[in-house]
Each structure stands twice: as C-alpha cells, then as structure tokens.
Amino acid sequence: MSPAPFGRPDLDAAEAFVWHVAPDRLEPVVKVARVGISLLVGVDRARDTLLANTMQFASGFPANNVLLWGARGMGKSSLVKAVHAEASLAHPGVKLIEIQREDLPSIGRLLNILRHSESRFILFCDDLSFDKDDSHYKSLKAVLDGGIEGRPENVILYATSNRRHLMPRDMIDNERQAGINPSEAVEEKVSLSDRFGLWLGFHACNQDDFLGMIRGYCDAFGIAIDDATLRAEAIEWSQTRGGRSGRVAWQYVTDLAGRRGVQLG
C-alpha cells in the first residue's frame, strides 16, 4: 500500500531539479526558464552581491543563505536563476533545486539525500511567505540553522519574498497588541528572516531603468524599434498596467515581439 522507497536520484541528469513529495522525488528540468544576467537592469548591487556569494559557494568556500525581498516583478527569481547559470558555467557541479513552500516540511528528507553527494546544491524557494498560524516556517530551520546535524556544507538556500519579515505587517502588529508579552509574541516568526545571512532588497524601478530594460530585451532578441516609438509605447503600456517593473517590461516586449513577428527564445 505504501509507495516504493525513493531510490538514489541521478543528480547528473540535469543542472536543475524540482523537488516533489508523495512520493519523494527529484524531477530533472530539461531547460530552465531564465534570461541572461546581462538583461537584468536596475539591480546591479543585488546582482553583484548574489553572484559573489554564489561563486564562493560553488568554489567550496563558506557562503550565506540569501533572502531576496521587495517589490514584485523586479527580477528576484530571475536573478537567482541567472546567477545559477553563471555559476554552473564555471562550476558544472552546482545544481539548482526548486522547492515549493507547501513542501517545506519534507526539507529534512531532501537534505538527507543531498548530504553525501559530491555536487553542490542551491535550494530555491520562490515567493516565500507565511500567514498566521502557519507552522511551515519551522521546517526552514533545518536548512537555515541545521539542527543537531548541522546544515550540509554542500547545500545553501535562496528564497524570494515580497515581505521583508516573511509575514504580513498587520499580523506582526496584531500579535504584538494581543500577546501577553508583546516582544515574544512575534519574535519566533520575525526572527526567521534574521537567519538569512544576506538580505537583498528590490525596489520599484524608475522610468529610465524601465525603458533600459525594454531596450535591452529588444536588442537581445533583434526587435527593431526606434527610441521615440519605444518610449511612447512603453510609457503608455506602463500606465495601463498601473506601474513599472521588470515583469511589466517583459510583458510589453512579448506584445511587441508578437506584433513584429519576432520569436523570443
């Protein structure tokens, strides 16, 4: 009645995997959906810091777990995937493993699988956040603090979130007001973000960066458009979307490529 035991995965099958449970398995990703690191505009400091940390890890030296937080659509997950691509070129043994938030309770089993491998692994949890009474955050301590066994030296965690403290601000305030000891009421949940050695903040882009993103995409994919037309159309597009971000820039480029009959990819 029980599922078959999880066999030793072939970690050479791909450079990236997705962790699934019930049954436990690592599914290889044939082609990672990502853009080149040179196309990520307006995130220079975060890019340089994350790349340096990743190269340290890939080279076998100590490195920090990283929380990328801030404005939505500003390339947090794209940066993780782009930096992994750069690291894997220099160090082919570096693997990217995506894990879903709802599968965090299984992270201990995943660490046991990876612990004895000669490869190095970046665990990637995208759009990480927790609601009130959500206990999944406790499972992260296995990889952030390591527990009694310690975090495997060949494993590191990169997480993205729109929230600096991984939980809504109003819930933090509510627990402070309702708790018998206000500081203890939220300390356990808020302190989770403190366990990340690096915090990289992402903020909404200005108009120049927004237009620079689009020009970079157009040049990279061979979409011919003059600056005046690009500026007028892109500004109008951002106004209809209610804001500017890397995601909005890509959506405009997708629309423009379709109208101009240009393939992306």
Side-chain angles (χ1 to χ4, degrees):
M1 298 294 292
S2 300
F6 179 57
R8 182 64 57 182
D10 181 8
L11 295 173
D12 294 325
E15 63 177 356
F17 299 83
V18 177
W19 171 250
H20 294 286
V21 298
D24 291 350
R25 63 196 186 280
L26 282 167
E27 292 285 350
V29 178
V30 177
K31 182 178 180 181
V32 179
R34 58 188 169 203
V35 298
I37 198 168
S38 63
L39 295 177
L40 299 177
V41 176
V43 293
D44 295 359
R45 180 180 176 279
R47 177 199 64 205
D48 294 344
T49 303
L50 187 64
L51 183 58
N53 190 72
T54 307
M55 287 300 185
Q56 286 174 206
F57 174 71
S59 300
F61 298 113
N64 276 303
N65 299 308
V66 184
L67 174 64
L68 300 88
W69 70 278
R72 64 185 187 276
M74 281 304 299
K76 298 183 291 294
S77 60
S78 295
L79 181 59
V80 171
K81 291 182 284 187
V83 163
H84 168 254
E86 294 296 309
S88 64
L89 285 175
H91 305 275
V94 179
K95 311 292 183 178
L96 183 68
I97 298 179
E98 183 175 21
I99 181 169
Q100 304 299 321
R101 190 195 70 87
E102 57 269 22
D103 294 332
L104 286 176
S106 69
I107 201 168
R109 302 197 298 272
L110 175 59
L111 293 182
N112 287 335
I113 295 168
L114 305 180
R115 187 180 298 273
H116 303 294
S117 173
E118 295 182 359
S119 298
R120 301 184 74 77
F121 303 95
I122 300 172
L123 301 189
F124 173 42
C125 189
D126 194 20
D127 198 19
L128 179 64
S129 63
F130 302 101
D131 296 324
K132 191 173 184 178
D133 300 324
D134 188 342
S135 61
H136 282 26
Y137 71 94
K138 295 179 180 179
S139 303
L140 271 184
K141 294 179 181 179
V143 65
L144 294 174
D145 288 340
I148 192 171
E149 286 186 294
R151 173 168 61 88
E153 65 86 26
N154 64 334
V155 176
I156 200 170
L157 175 69
Y158 288 174
T160 71
S161 178
N162 295 333
R163 300 167 179 169
R164 163 66 181 80
H165 289 298
L166 303 177
M167 62 183 295
R169 185 83 248 172
D170 59 342
M171 290 186 179
I172 294 175
D173 294 336
N174 287 342
E175 292 205 16
R176 283 198 176 117
Q177 294 169 7
I180 296 175
N181 188 324
S183 62
E184 291 181 358
V186 296
E187 183 177 353
E188 186 178 20
K189 289 181 179 177
V190 172
S191 66
L192 178 62
S193 61
D194 294 339
R195 289 178 165 88
F196 289 88
L198 284 177
W199 303 329
L200 301 179
F202 289 70
H203 307 283
C205 64
N206 58 37
Q207 184 167 283
D208 289 341
D209 285 340
F210 179 68
L211 296 174
M213 293 173 187
I214 294 173
R215 173 50 68 188
Y217 283 133
C218 289
D219 292 345
F221 295 110
I223 305 173
I225 184 172
D226 63 90
D227 289 339
T229 302
L230 184 151
R231 181 183 180 85
E233 290 189 0
I235 291 176
E236 180 182 3
W237 183 274
S238 68
Q239 290 173 341
T240 62
R241 298 287 297 174
R244 297 183 293 262
S245 69
R247 182 177 297 133
V248 173
W250 176 252
Q251 290 166 348
Y252 167 73
V253 170
T254 300
D255 178 77
L256 177 63
R259 289 187 279 117
R260 299 292 176 96
V262 177
Q263 293 287 342
L264 297 177

